[in-house]
Amino acid sequence: MIELRTPAEIEQMRPAGAFVARVLQATAAAAKVGVNLLALDRLAHEMIRSEGAESCYIDYHPSFGASPFGKVICTSVNDAVLHGLPHDYVLRDGDLLSLDFAASVDGWVADSAISIVVGTPRDADLRLIETTTRALDAGIAAATVGNRIGDISAAIAAVAHADGLRINTDFGGHGVGRTMHGDPHIPNNGRAGRGLPLRDGLVVAIEPWFLLGTDKIFTDPDGWTLRAADGSRGAHMEHTVAITDAGPVVLTARS
């Protein structure tokens, strides 16, 4: 079911968005060469406890997950692009790390993701992150009252296709509110002018993610982590956005 939020409810979602942004900034800053992924998960967990927030991930068990997630942040490295389950891995120089985090504050959820390079960057990784960031910006710019879901999807796809990237539509953006994942689904490829009309009060997570060499993925033996079928690297960017008559409002904006 698609729900529309009042202006007062959107204001009530701001603390969740600000908290999610702070956690991503803190974990990204802590992601140095020699740091274990489990340490990043502990940092996020400590921030959840100290702020009185609730994890959206730790007990999360959708149909595509092998078991409850069991951690509070997704840490996807190199050829892993989505749902990376934190494990005993020490970050190395040049790793491409995607962090995806969602939490509930006072009953409202926000969801966001960022990709960074740990240590010495590869030019190709920086270009991929830059493209994914531009795709997110394009999707947000299209999230205006009077447009349709397809306009967001088409805006994201135009950026990816211009840089020669293929697009997987199995996972994409989604509604956000009292729960982490709701309607509508927002694929990262689509036709402008098609799909659900965008109305004032719709709150969605817009999340382009791309792989350098393929649009095919497979699931790790851990039952969660999604990897590129050809071993190429991936990047993932996401913001929670409120669609309003005054324009899109990014609730998870990072300072």
Side-chain angles (χ1 to χ4, degrees):
M1 183 176 69
I2 295 171
E3 298 182 88
L4 301 178
R5 304 301 174 187
T6 66
E9 288 175 325
I10 290 172
E11 286 301 309
Q12 291 167 10
M13 296 184 73
R14 286 186 182 274
F19 173 67
V20 166
R22 288 197 300 276
V23 171
L24 283 180
Q25 286 177 305
T27 50
K32 307 293 186 183
V33 175
V35 171
N36 198 299
L37 296 181
L38 294 174
L40 299 180
D41 184 71
R42 284 195 297 272
L43 172 58
H45 211 154
E46 289 165 3
M47 294 182 71
I48 288 171
R49 286 194 295 266
S50 67
E51 299 252 359
E54 294 183 14
S55 170
C56 292
Y57 288 168
I58 197 162
D59 295 322
Y60 186 52
H61 190 188
S63 59
F64 57 81
S67 61
F69 191 72
K71 304 296 181 184
V72 301
I73 192 168
C74 295
T75 55
S76 303
V77 181
N78 295 333
D79 64 323
V81 67
L82 294 176
H83 307 162
L85 185 65
H87 60 286
D88 186 15
Y89 175 84
V90 175
L91 290 167
R92 303 169 185 171
D93 189 47
D95 277 346
L96 198 169
L97 171 67
S98 296
L99 299 165
D100 188 359
F101 180 72
S104 174
V105 176
D106 296 327
W108 293 104
V109 172
D111 190 4
S112 188
I114 187 172
S115 291
I116 62 171
V117 176
V118 177
T120 308
R122 300 181 184 183
D123 288 343
D125 290 345
L126 294 179
R127 288 195 299 271
L128 180 61
I129 292 172
E130 192 269 339
T131 298
T132 311
T133 302
R134 284 192 290 110
L136 174 59
D137 291 342
I140 293 170
T144 59
V145 173
N147 275 355
R148 292 176 176 267
I149 290 292
D151 293 302
I152 299 176
S153 302
I156 291 170
V159 174
H161 289 153
D163 282 9
L165 298 175
R166 301 176 185 176
I167 300 172
N168 178 294
T169 56
D170 292 341
F171 297 92
H174 50 87
V176 182
R178 292 294 189 181
T179 60
M180 178 172 58
H181 288 144
D183 293 328
H185 173 63
I186 306 176
N188 289 321
N189 197 359
R191 293 177 60 185
R194 301 292 292 272
L196 178 81
L198 304 181
R199 297 172 59 190
D200 179 65
L202 181 64
V203 181
V204 295
I206 299 174
E207 53 177 316
W209 60 275
F210 307 127
L211 298 161
L212 270 175
T214 184
D215 58 356
K216 306 300 182 184
I217 53 177
F218 71 93
T219 306
D220 245 8
D222 66 16
W224 276 99
T225 304
L226 298 179
R227 296 187 182 275
D230 65 352
S232 61
R233 294 185 173 214
H236 177 201
M237 303 294 286
E238 177 183 17
H239 272 312
T240 295
V241 180
I243 299 170
T244 76
D245 285 331
V249 177
V250 179
L251 298 175
T252 49
R254 295 178 285 274
S255 59

